[in-house]
Amino acid sequence: MTFLTMALKGIAALLVLATALPLIRTNVGLVRSLDFPRLQIAVALAACLVGLLVVSRDATALVLAVAMAGALVLQARHILPFTPLATTQAKAAAAGDPGAHLSLLVLNVLESNRDYARALDLLVRESPDLILLLETDAAWQSAMAPLRERYPHRVEQPQDNTYGLLFFSRLPLRDPTIRYLLQEDVPSLRTTLVLGDGEPVTFYGIHPRPPHPGHSSAPRDAELVMVAREIEKGEGPTIVAGDLNDVAWSRTTQLFQNISGLLDPRQGRGLFATFHAHYPFARWPLDHVFFSEHFLLSGLKRLDGVGSDHFPISVTLCRAPHAAAVQDKPSATAEDHEDAQAAIEAVR
């Protein structure tokens, strides 16, 4: 057996294992982190499958080839809903649709990034109605001070632990509240936006801690479920935005959508991968905007980088009177509710 054959067989086994491990219901950070690079694993599976069959067709190679083909199918099932090959979940607004338009830009600035001018230039140029900045410390708060002239309504919670946030709004805010849902140093925002006609929109800005080797996914999962349950009990237009530290296709994000009933504009349109901005070969969608069936989608863009490890993402919504009638929002099963309860109990 040649070295190349041995190497390909070893890589094949690791790729199959990396595909299989996330099937286990666990909060282990290493396992949950394997949800992120599904596209990269799929590409590696396809390349390894072809390479292995070229250099060897012994019994072991054939077994591994079958396993890799199955793993590739499994990865594709997660990825394909977030490509133009799938049906859109959030319906698009047509030209001339009546209703108020609302634009939002989300950016994890990377606290150690000090290219303030680049970020500020982008924000001024895009000029959205709402801006949510994450990982903002006191230095970022000071650097973004020029925005206060353009945005009369603000919530500012700078922190030096990479979990600070700044929120700027042209729309009036009611009862803006910084909350610490699970961890005393990880804030989230809940507020009510007031549209031009006086209609209230509930807005959540969130940035839970990510899972990684040695760090459980339980706090992140529980925080997302807590927000989803709160939304489920409410009514009226709702928007959730932020760096969820979770990918669009993970079980946790799907659970969040099913419980909350919110729509994902990525489905049927593309990955719009926002992280990692510096490594094109290692990108996945971490920054999200979800919204209720009361909105149609007018625009979705990943914007140019500003020195952060995240790209900004921009979403424009249309509060159309007929929106709810044309949307097919997610719904929760009994199993979803059981999983949600288990996520909460995991952090008690």
Side-chain angles (χ1 to χ4, degrees):
M1 183 182 297
T2 67
F3 174 77
L4 178 59
T5 302
M6 292 176 61
L8 286 173
K9 287 181 178 179
I11 293 170
L14 289 174
L15 291 171
V16 171
L17 180 64
T19 302
L21 281 175
L23 297 174
I24 302 171
R25 296 293 180 92
T26 179
N27 294 323
V28 175
L30 175 61
V31 174
R32 298 303 302 277
S33 296
L34 292 172
D35 270 329
F36 293 5
R38 288 193 178 275
L39 177 59
Q40 289 77 11
I41 293 172
V43 171
L45 280 165
C48 190
L49 175 59
V50 172
L52 183 58
L53 290 179
V54 167
V55 301
S56 176
R57 298 191 183 181
D58 62 21
T60 302
L62 292 177
V63 169
L64 285 170
V66 171
M68 281 192 289
L72 187 56
V73 169
L74 183 60
Q75 298 289 11
R77 287 182 61 188
H78 284 84
I79 299 165
L80 285 177
F82 301 92
T83 71
L85 298 176
T87 302
T88 56
Q89 184 179 73
K91 304 309 177 187
D97 268 344
H101 283 76
L102 180 65
S103 55
L104 164 65
L105 188 151
V106 179
L107 169 60
N108 181 321
V109 301
L110 180 63
E111 185 178 300
S112 60
N113 170 29
R114 298 308 180 191
D115 199 347
Y116 308 121
R118 195 172 167 191
L120 188 59
D121 286 348
L122 177 133
L123 297 172
V124 171
R125 184 172 66 251
E126 292 293 324
S127 190
D129 299 310
L130 310 170
I131 297 172
L132 178 64
L133 303 180
L134 303 166
E135 285 202 26
T136 46
D137 58 6
W140 272 98
Q141 181 187 33
S142 177
M144 295 297 106
L147 292 176
R148 294 171 184 164
E149 297 179 3
R150 298 168 177 265
Y151 295 89
H153 311 285
R154 300 176 301 276
V155 180
E156 301 183 13
Q157 181 66 29
Q159 296 186 183
D160 60 5
N161 66 343
T162 74
Y163 289 95
L165 64 85
L166 303 176
F167 182 64
F168 299 89
S169 173
R170 287 199 180 95
L171 302 177
L173 305 179
R174 291 180 188 163
D175 302 320
T177 306
I178 291 292
R179 308 187 297 176
Y180 296 85
L181 295 177
L182 281 174
Q183 297 172 304
E184 62 183 12
D185 60 345
V186 179
S188 67
L189 167 67
R190 185 186 189 278
T191 188
T192 299
L193 312 171
V194 183
L195 299 180
D197 62 0
E199 182 178 30
V201 176
T202 304
F203 179 88
Y204 296 84
I206 56 178
H207 183 204
R209 275 200 169 93
H212 54 73
H215 185 87
S216 170
S217 71
R220 179 204 64 185
D221 300 346
E223 182 168 340
L224 294 180
V225 166
M226 290 172 69
V227 173
R229 281 181 156 184
E230 190 171 309
I231 294 168
E232 180 188 29
K233 294 175 182 177
E235 58 183 22
T238 303
I239 300 170
V240 174
D243 172 4
L244 271 61
N245 276 313
D246 198 16
V247 283
W249 48 73
S250 82
R251 170 59 184 161
T252 300
T253 296
Q254 295 299 308
L255 181 62
F256 166 81
Q257 278 196 265
N258 291 347
I259 297 293
S260 68
L262 299 187
L263 306 167
D264 185 349
R266 281 185 168 98
Q267 289 201 30
R269 292 186 172 89
L271 295 183
F272 296 89
T274 55
F275 178 92
H276 195 290
H278 304 320
Y279 305 118
F281 57 87
R283 286 181 180 165
W284 36 80
L286 285 190
D287 303 274
H288 303 266
V289 177
F290 298 101
F291 48 89
S292 61
E293 73 276 15
H294 306 88
F295 296 98
L296 299 175
L297 182 69
S298 295
L300 172 63
K301 297 185 294 182
R302 189 188 74 183
L303 304 174
D304 294 336
V306 293
S308 172
D309 51 355
H310 290 247
F311 288 107
I313 191 164
S314 171
V315 174
T316 304
L317 305 177
C318 175
R319 175 62 182 102
H322 65 286
V326 300
Q327 304 279 23
D328 185 17
K329 71 175 188 177
S331 59
T333 64
E335 182 182 1
D336 289 330
H337 287 292
E338 291 173 1
D339 289 347
Q341 183 61 33
I344 298 295
E345 291 176 354
V347 295
R348 287 179 175 170

